[in-house]
């Protein structure tokens, strides 16, 4: 793929880069995207209806088991060239922030350091009632297992629809976006707020905005440049084009 001269020059001189990622960046690692068709036991369930506190209250066993199935998939996968390319960009610029909606930890495994996980992390567990992270609990027949502190139900430490993001996560991300030189939106449907508002912080501040996605999204018509295709192929090519030598 060839990249516009403006993009290459801007990347070469950029001091501050912010990247927003979504499920598409992990697709090439074998993690199903959030809105991918569900298979097997879950074929009849809409993920948007499982990822809510209401669904968990209604059927905690089912929601817990859905997350355990996804946790097992995620435990077995590895970062792909897209994750590694982003970790490489972080080493080349003065200030870099990676804001991810993904809960799979793959950016950190690839070596990214300055990461904000705005939707949590599936490998952590917390108490549904007390909202505190719980590291260990007794193995019993209870599904979901019980909180050792209060006896409430345990749940994954992820952000469901209708829940607030981790304290300060959006504000810190938006501040970094407003002050960066180049902003990327990669592998996200741009449908879920407030994450989907971050690109508009860049656009409103006339910051060079680039989307990388396998398909068009509601953001595509607004960005300065969009590259259509797999992030795991486009990102390494972009890094090579901007920083070869
Ligand atoms: C590739 C590729 C490849 C594939 N290379 N690309 C009406 C208007 C505005 C907002 C709202 C509204 N009604 C309700 C809301 C608020 C709601 C919301 O945004 N809803 C929308 C559905 C409209 N948001 C919230 O509730 C948020 N909280 C909030 O607003 O708090 C304030 C508040 C509190 C109380 C009351 C009211 C307000 C919280 C949102 C939490 C989202 N959580 C989830 C689940 C996390 C845990 C889990 O994974 O189970 O986060 S939902 C899900 O969506 C997940 C994802 O992180 C997130 C985004 O998905 P993403 O990453 O975009 O994935 P996909 O699958 O949708 O797309 C993949 C993309 O990749 C596609 O574009 C592909 O083309 C592309 N792709 N392969 C490049 N190889």
């Amino acid at each position: 793929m060839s990249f516009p001269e403006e993009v290459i020059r801007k990347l070469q001189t950029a001091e501050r880069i912010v990247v927003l990622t979504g499920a598409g960046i992990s697709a090439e690692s074998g993690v199903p995207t959030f809105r991918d068709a569900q298979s097997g036991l879950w074929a009849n369930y809409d993920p948007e209806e499982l990822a809510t506190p209401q669904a968990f209250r209604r059927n905690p066993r089912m929601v817990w088991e859905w997350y355990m199935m996804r946790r097992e998939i995620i435990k077995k996968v590895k970062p792909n060239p897209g994750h590694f390319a982003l970790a490489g960009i972080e080493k080349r610029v003065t200030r870099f922030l990676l804001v991810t909606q993904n809960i799979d930890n793959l950016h950190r495994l690839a070596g990214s350091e300055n990461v904000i996980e705005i939707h949590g992390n599936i490998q952590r567990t917390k108490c549904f009632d007390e909202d505190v992270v719980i590291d260990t609990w007794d193995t019993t027949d209870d599904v979901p297992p019980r909180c050792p502190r209060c006896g409430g139900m345990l749940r994954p430490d992820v952000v469901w629809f209708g829940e607030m993001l981790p304290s300060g996560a959006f504000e810190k991300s938006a501040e970094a976006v407003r002050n960066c030189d180049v902003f990327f939106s990669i592998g996200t449907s741009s449908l879920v707020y407030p994450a989907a508002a971050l690109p508009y912080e860049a656009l409103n501040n006339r910051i060079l905005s680039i989307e990388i996605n396998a398909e068009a999204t509601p953001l595509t018509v607004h960005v300065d440049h969009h590259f259509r295709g797999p992030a795991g192929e486009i990102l390494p090519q972009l890094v090579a084009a901007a920083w070869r030598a």
Side-chain angles (χ1 to χ4, degrees), residues 225-238:
H225 299 277
H226 60 91
F227 304 120
R228 187 77 57 86
E233 292 176 21
I234 294 174
L235 277 167
Q237 290 176 38
L238 185 58

Side-chain angles (χ1 to χ4, degrees), residues 21-25 27-28 33-36 48 51 66-67 70 101-103 119 158-165 186-194 212-217 229-232:
T21 63
I25 189 132
E28 291 153 82
T33 64
F34 190 74
R35 283 164 187 80
D36 261 353
E48 280 201 19
W66 184 55
Y67 278 96
R70 294 173 60 207
Q101 298 169 81
N102 299 343
I103 56 173
H119 292 163
V158 298
V159 181
W160 285 330
F161 286 113
E163 294 185 321
M164 304 303 284
L165 267 47
I186 303 174
T188 172
S189 56
S190 295
L191 291 174
V192 175
Y193 285 81
I212 299 176
N213 199 300
E215 295 170 359
T217 75

Side-chain angles (χ1 to χ4, degrees), residues 143 181 199 235:
V143 182
D181 303 311
L235 277 167

Side-chain angles (χ1 to χ4, degrees), residues 36-193:
D36 261 353
Q38 301 233 74
S39 58
L41 279 179
W42 311 101
N44 296 324
Y45 296 96
D46 177 353
E48 280 201 19
E49 279 164 24
L50 290 171
T52 69
Q54 293 81 355
F56 187 72
R57 274 195 201 93
R58 259 194 322 269
N59 197 337
R61 170 183 280 267
M62 181 175 73
V63 173
W64 175 264
E65 287 179 345
W66 184 55
Y67 278 96
M68 289 309 105
M69 178 273 293
R70 294 173 60 207
R71 197 181 262 187
E72 288 312 306
I73 294 175
I74 287 168
K75 265 190 197 158
K76 293 187 191 119
V77 301
K78 294 194 168 61
N80 67 57
H83 296 106
F84 288 117
L86 292 178
I89 295 176
E90 182 167 5
K91 294 188 175 58
R92 291 173 162 100
V93 291
T94 315
R95 292 177 74 178
F96 180 90
L97 177 64
L98 181 44
V99 182
T100 187
Q101 298 169 81
N102 299 343
I103 56 173
D104 57 27
N105 208 37
L106 289 179
H107 285 301
R108 286 190 203 280
L109 286 178
S112 289
E113 287 177 11
N114 200 17
V115 181
I116 298 184
E117 294 172 315
I118 55 175
H119 292 163
N121 189 310
I122 197 171
Q123 304 301 353
R124 279 195 311 265
T125 299
K126 67 179 183 180
C127 173
F128 185 66
D129 293 332
E130 297 177 301
D131 200 29
V132 291
V133 172
I134 300 292
D135 294 319
T136 53
W137 55 88
D138 290 338
T139 310
T140 64
D141 291 337
D142 291 324
V143 182
R146 294 281 163 177
C147 171
R149 289 160 48 107
C150 73
M153 290 186 289
L154 295 182
R155 56 164 282 184
D157 186 9
V158 298
V159 181
W160 285 330
F161 286 113
E163 294 185 321
M164 304 303 284
L165 267 47
S167 171
F170 180 78
E171 295 72 13
K172 194 174 165 200
S173 304
E175 168 79 13
V177 173
R178 283 193 291 274
N179 292 297
C180 72
D181 303 311
V182 183
F183 172 80
F184 284 91
S185 173
I186 303 174
T188 172
S189 56
S190 295
L191 291 174
V192 175
Y193 285 81

